[in-house]
Amino acid sequence: MLLSCLDWHPQPRLEPLHLDWLARAGVEVAVLRLDQIDPLISGNKWFKLVHHVRAAHEAGAQGIMSLGGAYSNHLHALAAAGKRFGFPTVGLLRGHPQETPTVLDLKAFDMDLHWLGYGGYRGRHAADFWLPWQAQYPHLHPVPEGGSGLPGAQGCMAWVTSAREQLAALGWADYHGWWLACGTGTSLAGLVLAEAGQRAVYGVLAVPQDHGVAQQVESIVGPAGLGNARYELFDGSRGGFARVDAELVAFIQATGAIELEPLYTGKALMLLKARVEAGQFACGTRLIFVHTGGLQGRRGFE
């Protein structure tokens, strides 16, 4: 059950990204294809889950319960993993019952669903939030929204080793930094910990700045005591989480070299284009763009 899935170690490929605006600037980008590690358990979500799953196993739990919205990539990956590896899952959802493509998948993967409304979901950070759910599901281990926190970040640290092992195949001797979308900041924190100041990590906020991403990153990175934690956050939310405008849609449609979705990867690559064209990165810069997945969520915008 939980133990069996800990033997699964997907290896994301590192691929060159060929786009006209990169070529004009002399900037090279390679994409870490987390979106292609598995048809269902894809993206950064499994990596953020794996250490939480290990903690659940060590605690003697039989399954996992967690939180998310009606298009949650996190719950989708968790439910798919539960279905494949044979452990029970419970999802606590924001808002009121609705049948999105994601929710239909969660049901098909046998995840038990509870809708909390909006007020109930806002209480998820309270110290006693999990008490009634642990009483109802004493055999399940609670995981925070998105698989966040230090365990989630630790799972993302493996990307640095994976990418470095593939540099030679690209003809790269080295690289200058990372670029990725941030919803909670957990993935970025993992990269910052793994790089330990050697290279910069640039995060594009998919949520407004008041959602506490900077504080979340600091809560993970700060206790590590890194002398030179090199990271920077940019606001790419375009006015709000899940805010999708015509310019963003047009950019995604015009970028045929890679599949993107509008909540995370589309916003991240669009802001990278703007920064490259503004001259932020010198000719010869080499960056690794993390494709964090989330393509299943596109169904809500089609």
Side-chain angles (χ1 to χ4, degrees), residues 100-213:
T100 66
T102 302
V103 169
L104 293 175
D105 278 354
L106 300 184
K107 292 178 179 178
F109 297 150
D110 299 324
M111 174 177 268
D112 288 339
L113 305 181
H114 297 273
W115 295 87
L116 306 185
Y118 294 100
Y121 198 82
R122 282 193 293 271
R124 66 193 180 280
H125 300 301
D128 60 351
F129 173 81
W130 285 108
L131 293 180
W133 298 107
Q134 289 178 302
Q136 185 171 346
Y137 295 103
H139 58 298
L140 300 188
H141 182 78
V143 170
E145 182 181 36
S148 60
L150 179 59
Q154 289 172 324
C156 302
M157 293 175 68
W159 302 341
V160 172
T161 300
S162 180
R164 290 177 183 174
E165 290 174 347
Q166 299 178 70
L167 292 178
L170 294 178
W172 289 14
D174 204 348
Y175 59 100
H176 299 92
W178 296 80
W179 190 276
L180 74 161
C182 297
T184 64
T186 305
S187 296
L188 178 139
L191 290 173
V192 173
L193 291 175
E195 285 289 358
Q198 293 184 56
R199 295 165 192 83
V201 184
Y202 303 102
V204 177
L205 295 174
V207 297
Q209 296 186 40
D210 62 4
H211 279 224
V213 175

Side-chain angles (χ1 to χ4, degrees), residues 8-300:
W8 184 51
H9 303 287
Q11 299 298 318
R13 297 195 311 275
L14 188 65
E15 300 178 348
L17 181 61
H18 301 294
L19 293 168
D20 291 345
W21 49 271
L22 290 172
R24 287 193 296 270
V27 173
E28 295 182 71
V29 170
V31 184
L32 192 64
R33 298 303 301 264
L34 304 184
D35 59 311
Q36 294 187 347
I37 61 170
D38 186 86
L40 293 176
I41 313 171
S42 68
N44 62 340
K45 302 306 180 184
W46 172 252
F47 296 92
K48 292 168 68 175
L49 274 169
V50 64
H51 283 273
H52 287 290
V53 172
R54 182 170 287 110
H57 169 69
E58 292 173 352
Q62 299 175 19
I64 303 285
M65 54 181 168
S66 193
L67 308 104
Y71 297 94
S72 171
N73 298 315
H74 165 67
L75 288 184
H76 195 272
L78 173 60
K83 181 69 172 180
R84 178 176 301 172
F85 296 107
F87 61 86
T89 58
V90 168
L92 310 181
L93 284 95
R94 178 178 60 248
H96 304 290
Q98 54 181 304
E99 290 200 339
T100 66
T102 302
V103 169
L104 293 175
D105 278 354
L106 300 184
K107 292 178 179 178
F109 297 150
D110 299 324
M111 174 177 268
D112 288 339
L113 305 181
H114 297 273
W115 295 87
L116 306 185
Y118 294 100
Y121 198 82
R122 282 193 293 271
R124 66 193 180 280
H125 300 301
D128 60 351
F129 173 81
W130 285 108
L131 293 180
W133 298 107
Q134 289 178 302
Q136 185 171 346
Y137 295 103
H139 58 298
L140 300 188
H141 182 78
V143 170
E145 182 181 36
S148 60
L150 179 59
Q154 289 172 324
C156 302
M157 293 175 68
W159 302 341
V160 172
T161 300
S162 180
R164 290 177 183 174
E165 290 174 347
Q166 299 178 70
L167 292 178
L170 294 178
W172 289 14
D174 204 348
Y175 59 100
H176 299 92
W178 296 80
W179 190 276
L180 74 161
C182 297
T184 64
T186 305
S187 296
L188 178 139
L191 290 173
V192 173
L193 291 175
E195 285 289 358
Q198 293 184 56
R199 295 165 192 83
V201 184
Y202 303 102
V204 177
L205 295 174
V207 297
Q209 296 186 40
D210 62 4
H211 279 224
V213 175
Q215 293 82 358
Q216 166 78 353
V217 172
E218 187 55 33
S219 72
I220 298 172
V221 172
L226 297 178
N228 182 24
R230 295 174 59 193
Y231 70 92
E232 190 171 356
L233 295 172
F234 301 99
D235 186 358
S237 65
R238 305 187 70 79
F241 180 62
R243 188 73 56 83
V244 178
D245 53 51
E247 186 180 3
L248 175 60
V249 171
F251 172 78
I252 291 172
Q253 291 174 343
T255 309
I258 186 170
E259 284 188 290
L260 303 167
E261 46 71 44
L263 300 191
Y264 298 100
T265 53
K267 289 179 176 180
L269 193 62
M270 188 174 182
L271 189 59
L272 178 59
K273 180 176 185 288
R275 292 287 174 169
V276 166
E277 293 180 338
Q280 177 176 345
F281 297 105
C283 180
T285 299
R286 288 172 169 167
L287 299 173
I288 298 177
F289 178 90
V290 182
H291 195 308
T292 49
L295 297 178
Q296 70 84 24
R298 291 186 307 178
R299 298 172 295 175

